[in-house]
Amino acid sequence: MPTRVCCCCSALRPRYKRLVDNIFPEDPKDGLVKTDMEKLTFYAVSAPEKLDRIGSYLAERLSRDVVRHRSGYVLIAMEALDQLLMACHSQSIKPFVESFLHMVAKLLESGEPKLQVLGTNSFVKFANIEEDTPSYHRRYDFFVSRFSAMCHSCHSDPEIRTEIRIAGIRGIQGVVRKTVNDELRATIWEPQHMDKIVPSLLFNMQKIEEVDSRIGPPSSPSATDKEENPAVLAENCFRELLGRATFGNMNNAVRPVFAHLDHHKLWDPNEFAVHCFKIIMYSIQAQYSHHVIQEILGHLDARKKDAPRVRAGIIQVLLEAVAIAAKGSIGPTVLEVFNTLLKHLRLSVEFEANDLQGGSVGSVNLNTSSKDNDEKIVQNAIIQTIGFFGSNLPDYQRSEIMMFIMGKVPVFGTSTHTLDISQLGDLGTRRIQIMLLRSLLMVTSGYKAKTIVTALPGSFLDPLLSPSLMEDYELRQLVLEVMHNLMDRHDNRAKLRGIRIIPDVADLKIKREKICRQDTSFMKKNGQQLYRHIYLGCKEEDNVQKNYELLYTSLALITIELANEEVVIDLIRLAIALQDSAIINEDNLPMFHRCGIMALVAAYLNFVSQMIAVPAFCQHVSKVIEIRTMEAPYFLPEHIFRDKCMLPKSLEKHEKDLYFLTNKIAESLGGSGYSVERLSVPYVPQVTALFPSSKKPLKPRHKHKDEDRLSRRKSIVDTVSIQVDILSNNVPSDDVVSNTEEITFEALKKAIDTSGMEEQEKEKRRLVIEKFQKAPFEEIAAQCESKANLLHDRLAQILELTIRPPPSPSGTLTITSGHAQYQSVPVYEMKFPDLCVY
């Protein structure tokens, strides 16, 4: 009960004090005296210079009542302050605000929950008032700290605890609204404030989510729940805070999220972390999305030595952030994202390899197996992120990313890759190759280029095909799948899935367009390279059914997307060459692989015959397939790739009717206008690069088949130089005389008259030039190879001769072949009449 003063003393007191005293009733239960409150309000509006005195006196009374625990009079004083605050908007209100904030602070410092809630409500009302001019000296450090503490209330009564936490969240929301819009008073974005505000909001969001996860899936909150649910209120405040963030203070608002998730170990499981960053990505302005992605990447680097599941949780959060950012602005972080992810992919493979090498028997082995599985989770998460990010990029950026990833793939025997594999070992290098190619497969998925040159430029095709000759069937499968993604521009691959004899190709409804000039030029330049890798890929000893299926799909896609008449002939020559290689079996392939090649050839020739629709060709292919069905079903894909298929002991005893014959194919195609001259020239895989004679071809532990294949076929030997030194002082005179032609008048006449010989030389040069201009390249290559093989055989004969010192040698021969040199071989003991020396 307030102290009453006598009438004489009351008359001497200032008027504003008398007006303030009159609003307090004798019994606080009666509440604020409204008539006297109206008088006080009118006085304050009429004399705004008295506002600061009114506020000071009210603050003095309120402080006294708080200490004396007179809650009723405290409520009346705060109600009066709120009404004065809402009624007065003059410049003089600023001193009054200081008194008001001082009173709110007194309430928040009290230990009574009701007073804390009362002070918070008054502060929220004040925060909603728009002041005419900002007060730059006013700070809210105390309120940030106090409201944050209220958000972490641990009161024993659940209802009171929830009420205090809601009050704390609403107080933080009031502070944000009051300060965030003023650029000159942006102290709220300082790290010391964000480190209190953001964790307080996340703490309340997290606690309620834990309750929801125990009860079941949360239902959509109603309007009442939004006011009474701390999680919903905290989430709304968090969204509002992020929505007001600008370029300069975005990082200060995001970094405390990482600290909170680390401190509470919320990366594994990471449902709450994903939920938080979805809120962040959808709340911030789109042009700032790349800042959040950079922060996630930086945190991933900082936690690179943590447990695999923690890293996997961070990467999954990055995936969700990238999925949202890809729809808007990604900014300059495209290459940074991929570079960081590939770096962590290498680290994960390195950790996995070290665990496998350091594992031992017993319980440690079980622990190693668990870590191995966890690292696979990390690797799969990285690949998914790379694939999703890449698939959402525009085509021009995606092609750059394809080149970037391809440049990271390590290939044995080369140093063009930019990824450090020194610590990985053989197993780790193979693992990183597979991971990178899987990433490339994800990026190329759905890529549609108008021309094949855009999808497969030379700078990308050459390194892509390098792993296709490795002794690893999984690597070869991935390379073929990447090529299918880039070649299949009309979504025909699904229709070709599985190697089989298609009764009617028309039922597949293949989509195709007329071959453009750029595609024709591409095949002229790179066709032989593609054929060669398909040819050698079919003859790998570790091929499985999927390899043959992918090779068949490659041939079919080239036929659909890139084949004109010339390419069709080349593909048929390639198929016949594969059939011949399976029959002759120079590479000593197992019978299953030989039959698999025969089945692949049958499936492809059946497909291409129906695609070009030449009746005689279709008839020949159908007849061979029919005979195979009756007599040799293991030459058909439906049988050879079936479990427990009976295999023949040899292929030499089979009749010609079981094989596709070149002469019949040439006859059938020639009748339809095809140029079939090249069908008579056997297909020979061409060399793309030669090693210099001074260097040996690299033979890594995982053998790169490119060079070994060629050496088996005796295509080209190392640089061979033959130097013949005739020692004139050792030549007997009788030999010279015997070899001297008789000098006659006719001989002198022929020597002088050289016009006829010049005409012959000109004609010979013309024929050579014409041949190189018009003859097919394969024919020229085959002839060059035959000459090289002849040279190889003759040199072998020379080196195998028994060297005997001649009684009177007429000359010596010096032979330099690659890395060995042979001298003093008697010339008269060598017989090589048709040897051509280049």
Side-chain angles (χ1 to χ4, degrees):
M1 187 167 152
T3 304
R4 310 300 296 180
V5 295
C6 63
C7 297
C8 297
C9 294
S10 176
L12 297 175
R13 301 183 69 205
R15 185 182 179 186
Y16 71 90
K17 288 187 176 182
R18 286 184 275 127
L19 292 174
V20 170
D21 290 337
N22 291 338
I23 65 175
F24 291 93
E26 294 185 1
D27 187 357
K29 295 180 180 180
D30 295 337
L32 183 68
V33 180
K34 295 183 178 180
T35 54
D36 291 328
M37 187 64 214
E38 291 176 356
K39 294 178 182 178
L40 178 61
T41 303
F42 179 78
Y43 177 77
V45 172
S46 302
E49 66 276 3
K50 300 293 184 179
L51 268 175
D52 58 332
R53 299 183 183 182
I54 295 173
S56 300
Y57 186 61
L58 276 171
E60 180 185 344
R61 288 189 60 116
L62 184 138
S63 299
R64 186 171 62 248
D65 292 336
V66 168
V67 172
R68 296 176 181 178
H69 300 286
R70 296 176 177 177
S71 301
Y73 290 114
V74 172
L75 293 175
I76 293 174
M78 292 306 300
E79 184 179 356
L81 284 170
D82 293 341
Q83 291 189 18
L84 289 174
L85 209 60
M86 300 297 294
C88 304
H89 297 284
S90 65
Q91 291 283 345
S92 302
I93 198 175
K94 286 180 173 47
F96 175 75
V97 170
E98 298 301 325
S99 300
F100 169 80
L101 293 177
H102 178 69
M103 287 185 281
V104 172
K106 284 288 184 181
L107 295 179
L108 295 177
E109 286 177 340
S110 67
E112 296 184 17
K114 289 184 179 180
L115 296 183
Q116 293 177 352
V117 173
L118 177 64
T120 302
N121 293 336
S122 297
F123 183 83
V124 171
K125 292 178 183 178
F126 162 71
N128 292 326
I129 297 175
E130 295 184 4
E131 301 182 49
D132 296 335
T133 56
S135 179
Y136 301 115
H137 66 279
R138 191 185 305 156
R139 298 185 64 86
Y140 297 91
D141 299 5
F142 169 79
F143 296 99
V144 170
S145 300
R146 192 60 197 161
F147 288 138
S148 299
M150 292 170 64
C151 290
H152 292 83
S153 174
C154 297
H155 199 280
S156 58
D157 189 343
E159 293 184 0
I160 296 177
R161 180 171 65 244
T162 301
E163 187 177 4
I164 295 175
R165 289 184 178 181
I166 291 176
I169 297 169
R170 294 180 66 236
I172 289 177
Q173 193 174 29
V175 173
V176 171
R177 289 177 178 175
K178 194 65 179 175
T179 61
V180 80
N181 288 329
D182 195 344
E183 296 181 358
L184 298 178
R185 194 179 63 238
T187 56
I188 194 67
W189 295 109
E190 294 177 358
Q192 64 265 27
H193 298 319
M194 287 290 108
D195 290 342
K196 298 174 183 177
I197 293 175
V198 174
S200 301
L201 300 176
L202 296 179
F203 176 78
N204 286 274
M205 293 165 58
Q206 172 193 350
K207 287 297 180 182
I208 302 301
E209 183 161 312
E210 290 177 357
V211 175
D212 291 341
S213 63
R214 290 196 298 267
I215 297 174
S219 57
S220 57
S222 61
T224 306
D225 293 336
K226 290 181 180 180
E227 295 294 331
E228 298 179 356
N229 191 340
V232 176
L233 189 61
E235 182 175 325
N236 292 336
C237 182
F238 190 46
R239 291 180 185 274
E240 184 177 351
L241 175 68
L242 294 168
R244 297 172 184 269
T246 59
F247 180 84
N249 48 47
M250 175 62 63
N251 295 340
N252 291 339
V254 175
R255 285 172 185 166
V257 179
F258 294 107
H260 180 82
L261 297 175
D262 290 341
H263 179 71
H264 293 274
K265 299 179 180 179
L266 296 174
W267 295 112
D268 179 31
N270 67 339
E271 287 80 6
F272 180 72
V274 171
H275 177 64
C276 288
F277 277 91
K278 281 185 175 180
I279 293 175
I280 292 173
M281 297 303 294
Y282 281 117
S283 300
I284 63 175
Q285 301 180 42
Q287 63 267 29
Y288 303 147
S289 297
H290 63 278
H291 278 285
V292 180
I293 295 175
Q294 284 178 329
E295 290 295 323
I296 300 175
L297 292 173
H299 193 68
L300 181 60
D301 288 336
R303 305 299 299 270
K304 63 183 178 182
K305 294 185 179 180
D306 282 16
R309 290 187 176 272
V310 172
R311 288 181 280 126
I314 299 175
I315 294 169
Q316 289 172 357
V317 168
L318 177 64
L319 172 61
E320 296 294 337
V322 163
I324 299 172
K327 301 174 184 177
S329 171
I330 302 177
T333 60
V334 176
L335 284 179
E336 182 181 353
V337 170
F338 285 97
N339 193 32
T340 303
L341 290 175
L342 293 178
K343 179 179 67 175
H344 284 276
L345 183 61
R346 180 188 61 80
L347 287 174
S348 177
V349 172
E350 183 177 334
F351 292 153
E352 182 182 7
N354 292 337
D355 291 339
L356 290 175
Q357 292 175 1
S360 59
V361 297
S363 60
V364 179
N365 205 7
L366 296 176
N367 190 22
T368 301
S369 177
S370 176
K371 288 183 178 179
D372 183 30
N373 294 331
D374 290 345
E375 290 296 345
K376 284 183 170 58
I377 295 175
V378 176
Q379 295 161 14
N380 291 330
I382 293 175
I383 291 173
Q384 287 180 355
T385 305
I386 290 175
F388 192 90
F389 196 8
S391 62
N392 283 277
L393 292 175
D395 289 344
Y396 73 92
Q397 278 187 326
R398 202 191 303 196
S399 60
E400 293 178 1
I401 296 305
M402 288 158 49
M403 291 292 299
F404 182 75
I405 297 176
M406 197 65 241
K408 299 283 185 179
V409 178
V411 178
F412 288 108
T414 64
S415 58
T416 55
H417 57 85
T418 58
L419 201 65
D420 182 17
I421 59 172
S422 58
Q423 304 296 325
L424 294 181
D426 292 347
L427 183 62
T429 302
R430 176 188 177 275
R431 184 70 177 165
I432 196 66
Q433 286 173 328
I434 292 175
M435 293 294 105
L436 289 173
L437 288 175
R438 284 180 58 191
S439 303
L440 186 61
L441 180 64
M442 294 285 288
V443 172
T444 56
S445 179
Y447 182 67
K448 296 290 187 296
K450 293 183 179 179
T451 62
I452 196 66
V453 181
T454 306
L456 286 171
S459 56
F460 178 75
L461 180 63
D462 293 338
L464 175 64
L465 291 178
S466 295
S468 69
L469 297 178
M470 287 288 190
E471 282 188 344
D472 192 309
Y473 71 93
E474 191 173 356
L475 283 175
R476 299 196 301 272
Q477 289 174 6
L478 290 170
V479 171
L480 291 173
E481 288 177 340
V482 170
M483 289 184 59
H484 296 171
N485 281 345
L486 299 173
M487 282 186 182
D488 185 22
R489 293 171 288 176
H490 299 90
D491 299 323
N492 292 313
R493 184 172 39 164
K495 305 170 185 176
L496 302 171
R497 184 166 294 135
I499 180 171
R500 64 194 188 280
I501 303 297
I502 304 173
D504 189 0
V505 176
D507 294 340
L508 300 180
K509 297 180 179 178
I510 299 292
K511 299 178 183 178
R512 63 183 306 188
E513 296 178 359
K514 186 178 179 180
I515 308 302
C516 64
R517 186 181 62 182
Q518 291 88 341
D519 292 348
T520 303
S521 175
F522 172 83
M523 288 305 295
K524 286 183 178 180
K525 183 178 180 180
N526 302 295
Q528 295 299 325
Q529 189 177 6
L530 295 176
Y531 305 152
R532 175 173 174 271
H533 282 76
I534 292 175
Y535 179 84
L536 297 180
C538 289
K539 301 173 68 174
E540 295 290 346
E541 297 178 359
D542 61 339
N543 278 341
V544 295
Q545 179 180 349
K546 186 177 180 181
N547 290 86
Y548 291 113
E549 291 177 353
L550 293 173
L551 289 165
Y552 163 75
T553 305
S554 300
L555 291 169
L557 287 176
I558 292 175
T559 305
I560 295 170
E561 299 287 347
L562 303 170
N564 52 17
E565 291 187 3
E566 183 179 350
V567 174
V568 168
I569 297 296
D570 288 337
L571 291 171
I572 294 174
R573 289 176 60 233
L574 173 60
I576 298 300
L578 286 171
Q579 177 183 258
D580 294 342
S581 69
I583 298 171
I584 300 173
N585 196 23
E586 291 180 350
D587 298 299
N588 296 321
L589 293 175
M591 185 55 67
F592 170 78
H593 295 78
R594 297 172 68 184
C595 293
I597 294 174
M598 299 293 283
L600 168 65
V601 172
Y604 175 67
L605 289 180
N606 172 71
F607 176 81
V608 72
S609 64
Q610 297 185 54
M611 287 295 294
I612 64 178
V614 176
F617 186 22
C618 294
Q619 184 178 359
H620 171 64
V621 173
S622 300
K623 183 178 179 180
V624 173
I625 292 175
E626 184 179 352
I627 297 174
R628 286 186 178 186
T629 304
M630 301 296 295
E631 301 180 9
Y634 39 78
F635 283 169
L636 298 176
E638 289 83 358
H639 295 270
I640 186 61
F641 298 123
R642 190 176 59 188
D643 294 337
K644 298 180 181 180
C645 176
M646 296 296 294
L647 299 176
K649 295 182 179 179
S650 65
L651 302 184
E652 287 74 15
K653 298 180 180 180
H654 288 80
E655 299 293 335
K656 289 185 177 181
D657 294 340
L658 294 174
Y659 303 135
F660 301 99
L661 303 178
T662 305
N663 56 351
K664 290 190 177 182
I665 294 176
E667 182 181 351
S668 61
L669 293 178
S672 298
Y674 281 82
S675 178
V676 295
E677 291 81 4
R678 285 184 299 126
L679 279 178
S680 59
V681 181
Y683 171 77
V684 177
Q686 297 178 13
V687 187
T688 56
L690 292 176
F691 290 95
S693 59
S694 60
K695 296 182 181 179
K696 293 183 179 181
L698 292 171
K699 293 183 180 180
R701 290 181 291 272
H702 290 271
K703 195 187 326 180
H704 197 292
K705 287 290 188 79
D706 198 357
E707 295 79 35
D708 295 339
R709 289 282 186 194
L710 297 174
S711 62
R712 267 185 241 153
R713 295 180 183 81
K714 298 189 294 185
S715 58
I716 289 183
V717 296
D718 286 345
T719 303
V720 178
S721 61
I722 300 177
Q723 299 175 353
V724 180
D725 298 329
I726 303 299
L727 303 179
S728 58
N729 55 352
N730 292 330
V731 179
S733 59
D734 55 349
D735 292 340
V736 176
V737 174
S738 63
N739 291 330
T740 303
E741 184 179 353
E742 185 181 359
I743 302 175
T744 62
F745 176 76
E746 293 296 332
L748 291 174
K749 184 177 180 181
K750 289 180 180 179
I752 296 173
D753 187 10
T754 58
S755 60
M757 296 179 62
E758 290 179 357
E759 291 296 331
Q760 291 179 2
E761 292 293 332
K762 288 182 179 180
E763 180 65 18
K764 187 185 295 185
R765 285 196 297 270
R766 187 187 66 80
L767 291 175
V768 171
I769 293 173
E770 183 178 358
K771 179 179 180 180
F772 274 90
Q773 287 179 343
K774 298 183 179 180
F777 181 76
E778 293 79 8
E779 181 180 346
I780 299 172
Q783 291 180 1
C784 292
E785 184 179 18
S786 64
K787 290 182 180 180
N789 291 337
L790 179 61
L791 176 60
H792 184 279
D793 296 338
R794 295 306 183 192
L795 287 174
Q797 294 176 8
I798 293 171
L799 300 179
E800 291 174 0
L801 291 175
T802 303
I803 303 177
R804 300 191 304 271
S808 56
S810 58
T812 60
L813 176 68
T814 300
I815 303 174
T816 304
S817 177
H819 317 291
Q821 193 174 58
Y822 304 87
Q823 295 181 344
S824 300
V825 181
V827 173
Y828 64 82
E829 293 186 5
M830 303 178 185
K831 297 179 180 180
F832 39 96
D834 54 349
L835 176 62
C836 298
V837 181
Y838 296 92

